[in-house]
Amino acid sequence: MELVDLRDRFPALDGLLGQITGLLTRRRVVLAASDRVLSLAWWDQGQQSIIKTELPPGLCQGGVPVQREVLAEMVADLLIEQGIASVSVELELLLPLPTCHWRLLEGAAGLGDATSLRALAPEMTWPLQWQESYVAWTSLQDRDMAMVVGVDRLILQAWIDTVASADLNLCQAEWLLVAAWRALQTLNEPLEGEWVWLIESEGIWRFVLLCDGLPELDVVLQATQLPSVRDEVLFLLDAWDQKQRQVDAMRSWWITAGPSWKGRWKDGHGAGLHGPLVSDGEMSLLQLALKAPPLESRS
């Protein structure tokens, strides 16, 4: 008897086959959260979907899951609502902005891995303790430098426990900002010269100055509204130019911001900013991060 005959005689078989297929098909799902919003992204036949839900106050504080079981239940319920079986999920976690720190480390050619770095424990001018932190290490080709990203072990463990409580398979964890940075490089390869990367997340602005793709400055801005944000950025750039002894340096500008900011930076982006406006809020930080190539594809 052929399968089509079975389906005719037993209509419920279609539903059962769909469930089995869902269990066998591995599905990449990305989880990102802030203190206010929980986001899930996944792909179905090449089409990307994103859902967001507001988080109750106190559920996540400073990027750290406080009520882990409640947060885990929310994640599990969202997946169920989308018809995604938990056993099929290969979860990628994007750690919230406040939880991680990054630094460029010079003279890194003699260091083999993060274990060697932790043993050396160089001064990184960050609030993390080497023996109490998880460190991700990326050597930079053709440069005696490395990108070092650190997160407190307890914070990372809190997210691992949350994912485990949701009964999901955690495949990898990466800082949201680093994923977006990798995507920015991919979209603008090669990322040459100086780039002003302005990042808005839930009303807070962050200024990152990239030099040949590497972050030289990373400052959380005090201003929250235009044109005050622009004024603060220009002040920081002026201080940078003086330090570098350069005048009227040409820079490309990339604005990463939520939907309400789309297209607003171009008003006032004149000749005094010395460079083209490449992106004016076309993507949020999460949307940009989701365009990053898979980690395993990096050289």
Side-chain angles (χ1 to χ4, degrees):
M1 182 178 293
E2 295 183 357
L3 181 59
V4 64
D5 297 326
L6 286 173
R7 284 175 168 171
D8 289 339
R9 294 182 59 184
F10 305 101
L13 185 60
D14 273 333
L16 179 60
L17 289 174
Q19 294 178 30
I20 294 174
T21 301
L23 292 175
L24 296 178
T25 302
R26 308 307 298 172
R27 189 187 297 264
R28 177 193 176 203
V29 177
V30 177
L31 167 64
S34 67
D35 290 359
R36 302 180 187 176
V37 179
L38 173 69
S39 302
L40 287 174
W42 68 95
W43 289 259
D44 188 4
Q45 297 182 350
Q47 295 296 315
Q48 183 186 94
S49 298
I50 303 177
I51 55 172
K52 298 182 180 181
T53 185
E54 296 287 332
L55 292 179
L59 200 61
C60 190
Q61 295 181 0
V64 183
V66 178
Q67 301 182 46
R68 303 176 195 179
E69 293 292 338
V70 176
L71 190 59
E73 289 179 7
M74 291 186 66
V75 173
D77 289 344
L78 286 173
L79 291 173
I80 291 173
E81 291 171 5
Q82 302 303 316
I84 301 175
S86 61
V87 295
S88 71
V89 170
E90 293 182 341
L91 190 74
E92 298 177 13
L93 174 64
L94 293 178
L95 293 166
L97 279 180
T99 60
C100 298
H101 303 270
W102 60 351
R103 295 290 188 273
L104 285 176
L105 180 64
E106 297 184 354
L111 294 174
D113 52 27
T115 301
S116 301
L117 178 63
R118 183 177 289 106
L120 182 61
E123 175 55 51
M124 300 289 285
T125 65
W126 63 10
L128 301 174
Q129 300 296 320
W130 280 110
Q131 300 306 319
E132 299 174 4
S133 305
Y134 174 80
V135 177
W137 158 283
T138 303
S139 296
L140 302 174
Q141 287 188 343
D142 303 323
R143 309 190 194 192
D144 187 17
M145 304 177 71
M147 172 69 73
V148 183
V149 182
V151 58
D152 187 285
R153 286 186 181 275
L154 293 180
I155 293 177
L156 181 59
Q157 189 60 52
W159 279 107
I160 292 174
D161 292 345
T162 299
V163 172
S165 296
D167 198 24
L168 298 173
N169 176 36
L170 179 60
C171 295
Q172 66 182 40
E174 185 178 21
W175 191 21
L176 173 63
L177 186 59
V178 168
W181 169 68
R182 294 196 298 108
L184 188 64
Q185 294 185 89
T186 300
L187 294 173
N188 298 280
E189 189 176 5
L191 202 62
E192 297 178 335
E194 292 190 2
W195 284 67
V196 175
W197 183 20
L198 290 174
I199 304 159
E200 180 272 336
S201 178
E202 298 182 351
I204 304 299
W205 284 88
R206 190 171 187 140
F207 162 63
V208 177
L209 180 64
L210 301 171
C211 298
D212 291 332
L214 301 180
E216 292 288 349
L217 292 177
D218 180 7
V219 181
V220 177
L221 302 181
Q222 298 297 314
T224 58
Q225 298 295 326
L226 298 177
S228 298
V229 170
R230 183 181 286 107
D231 291 341
E232 188 173 352
V233 171
L234 291 177
F235 174 81
L236 293 169
L237 287 174
D238 182 62
W240 171 261
D241 286 340
Q242 291 184 37
K243 180 180 179 181
Q244 301 299 314
R245 298 182 180 179
Q246 58 189 18
V247 179
D248 296 340
M250 291 296 295
R251 302 180 176 97
S252 299
W253 295 68
W254 185 288
I255 315 301
T256 298
S260 64
W261 293 94
K262 185 176 181 179
R264 293 178 57 185
W265 187 266
K266 65 181 179 182
D267 297 329
H269 187 87
L273 297 182
H274 304 292
L277 179 61
V278 182
S279 175
D280 192 5
E282 281 82 5
M283 289 177 282
S284 68
L285 188 61
L286 175 59
Q287 289 172 323
L288 179 59
L290 292 175
K291 293 184 176 295
L295 281 171
E296 58 268 23
S297 71
R298 291 188 296 173
S299 57

